Amino acid sequence: NTTNSRIMSLKLHYFPVKARNLPALFVAGFANLDIEWVQVTDWPASKDSAPFGQLPMLEVDGKFYAQSMSIARGLAKKGGLLPDDFEEFIAADMYAEVGNDIFATLVKGKYGSTYDEQEPNLEKHFALLEGKLAEGATTF
């Protein structure tokens, strides 16, 4: 299901921490894509060269793309991980966004409030996720 078998140079530019770059790194790993993690240490000096002035950014043969989930979906498409069927695709994408919501809640717990304050939000996310999975929504 690989949509583009052309060999590309893939470089993920991000800070030397694992955070918003993880979805792209996980997808690249699952898809066996050769990707280089370029650790950005001269921020904010290089901010003007980044699309929308933020990281992560994916460099594909010298062209730059931004937004962590767009990068992850693009790599999933490149690696043949996205289903062709519309309903399977939208379901897979829905679960990816739930993961993004959970990540955002964890970030709030670390930087904006406490984990204890975010625990009800995490419980809500996980309960809804478990409910959907219990319905048998695992066909993709």
Side-chain angles (χ1 to χ4, degrees):
N1 191 19
T2 301
T3 58
N4 187 347
S5 59
R6 182 174 73 83
I7 296 174
M8 300 173 165
S9 170
L10 301 171
K11 296 178 183 180
L12 184 67
H13 296 254
Y14 197 66
F15 306 108
V17 297
K18 294 178 182 172
R20 291 280 178 196
N21 58 339
L22 284 179
L25 294 173
F26 287 151
V27 169
F30 283 122
N32 293 313
L33 295 174
D34 187 22
I35 190 167
E36 177 186 350
W37 177 6
V38 178
Q39 295 188 6
V40 176
T41 57
D42 63 344
W43 198 262
S46 61
K47 187 174 186 171
D48 290 339
S49 65
F52 309 108
Q54 60 191 36
L55 295 176
M57 63 181 173
L58 179 67
E59 181 182 355
V60 181
D61 294 336
K63 191 170 182 180
F64 292 89
Y65 302 90
Q67 298 297 332
S68 59
M69 293 308 291
S70 293
I71 292 168
R73 280 189 288 273
L75 292 171
K77 183 164 182 70
K78 169 72 176 151
L81 298 178
L82 295 180
D84 292 326
D85 178 79
F86 171 75
E87 288 186 80
E88 289 179 1
F89 169 80
I90 200 85
D93 203 50
M94 172 180 71
Y95 289 112
E97 288 299 328
V98 168
N100 201 32
D101 289 346
I102 291 168
F103 180 82
T105 301
L106 291 170
V107 168
K108 285 179 190 174
K110 181 166 177 76
Y111 297 108
S113 59
T114 67
Y115 285 116
D116 289 342
E117 291 172 320
Q118 291 303 318
E119 187 174 359
N121 294 326
L122 284 174
E123 289 174 358
K124 176 184 152 196
H125 285 304
F126 285 121
L128 292 169
L129 180 59
E130 288 172 357
K132 287 304 278 180
L133 293 173
E135 292 173 10
T138 59
T139 59
F140 47 90

